[in-house]
């Protein structure tokens, strides 16, 4: 504390929560990496599937709860897991990565495809869960309406009776 004031301390702030624009920008960077790295179509199609599901899920993140494991997984997939997997593969020479076994009989391409399939399946599950919540609300509302108004024996009116 000698000679220093608290005001002289550098202010270090934690990074903020990624916004929807940050997530979309991360997906666009992955797409650019694939194009620049001349990735094979089998990789591109899987990344496109993941990106499409993330994009469809983004509007539902607030509903899922921004602090939920599902929301975290969507954000981390777009900003960390997907870029890391693609970058690791693209750093390797294409012919070598696609033909040389590096883990048992698996090539780097095969390992990447497994990782992308896992990410894709996980994003599909999260998207389905988010939609299921809305679907359950619709079913519950339908049951409420049925309990409230019921079915008349004639089937033609709403059971409101004669005026």
């Amino acid at each position: 504390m000698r000679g220093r004031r608290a005001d002289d301390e550098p202010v270090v702030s934690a990074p903020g929560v990624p916004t929807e624009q940050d997530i979309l920008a991360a997906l666009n960077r992955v797409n650019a990496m694939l194009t620049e790295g001349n990735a094979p179509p089998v990789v591109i199609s899987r990344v496109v599937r993941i990106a499409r599901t993330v994009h469809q899920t983004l509007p539902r993140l607030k509903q899922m709860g921004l602090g939920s494991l599902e929301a975290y997984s969507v954000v981390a997939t777009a900003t960390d897991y997907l870029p890391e997997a693609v970058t690791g593969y693209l750093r390797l020479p294409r012919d070598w990565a696609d033909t040389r076994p590096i883990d048992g009989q698996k090539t780097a391409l095969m390992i990447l495809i497994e990782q992308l399939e896992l990410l894709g399946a996980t994003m599909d599950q999260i998207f389905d869960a988010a939609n299921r919540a809305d679907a359950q609300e619709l079913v519950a509302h339908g049951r409420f309406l049925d309990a409230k108004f019921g079915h008349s024996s004639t089937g033609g009116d709403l059971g409101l009776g004669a005026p």
Side-chain angles (χ1 to χ4, degrees):
M1 287 295 232
R2 294 172 89 189
R4 288 190 92 184
R5 296 186 346 228
D7 295 341
D8 294 337
E9 296 291 323
V11 176
V12 179
S13 63
V17 176
T19 65
E20 188 171 326
Q21 290 76 25
D22 295 334
I23 295 166
L24 294 174
L27 293 173
N28 287 337
R29 283 190 297 275
V30 170
N31 186 47
M33 287 189 313
L34 293 172
T35 302
E36 293 167 10
N38 198 27
V42 68
V43 171
I44 293 170
S45 66
R46 282 164 174 81
V47 170
V48 166
R49 171 186 165 213
I50 294 165
R52 181 177 33 245
T53 306
V54 167
H55 193 270
Q56 290 172 331
T57 307
L58 284 178
R60 302 185 175 283
L61 285 184
K62 289 180 184 168
Q63 284 177 290
M64 294 175 359
L66 294 176
S68 71
L69 178 59
E70 292 83 6
Y72 174 81
S73 295
V74 171
V75 173
T77 294
T79 61
D80 185 29
Y81 307 151
L82 184 60
E84 183 68 26
V86 170
T87 299
Y89 169 77
L90 291 176
R91 278 194 304 250
L92 300 169
R94 206 58 29 243
D95 287 342
W96 191 89
D98 296 351
T99 60
R100 301 281 173 98
I102 59 170
D103 184 20
Q105 298 297 316
K106 296 178 185 176
T107 64
L109 176 60
M110 295 166 92
I111 292 169
L112 175 64
I113 289 172
E114 285 178 358
Q115 292 173 4
L116 295 175
E117 285 294 323
L118 179 59
L119 288 173
T122 302
M123 291 302 99
D124 286 344
Q125 289 173 350
I126 291 171
F127 183 62
D128 287 348
N131 287 326
R132 239 181 272 116
D134 285 343
Q136 288 304 318
E137 286 181 23
L138 181 64
V139 169
H141 185 68
R143 288 182 180 146
F144 161 77
L145 291 175
D146 189 46
K148 178 83 173 164
F149 300 113
H151 290 67
S152 69
S153 59
T154 62
D157 66 283
L158 296 174
L160 300 175

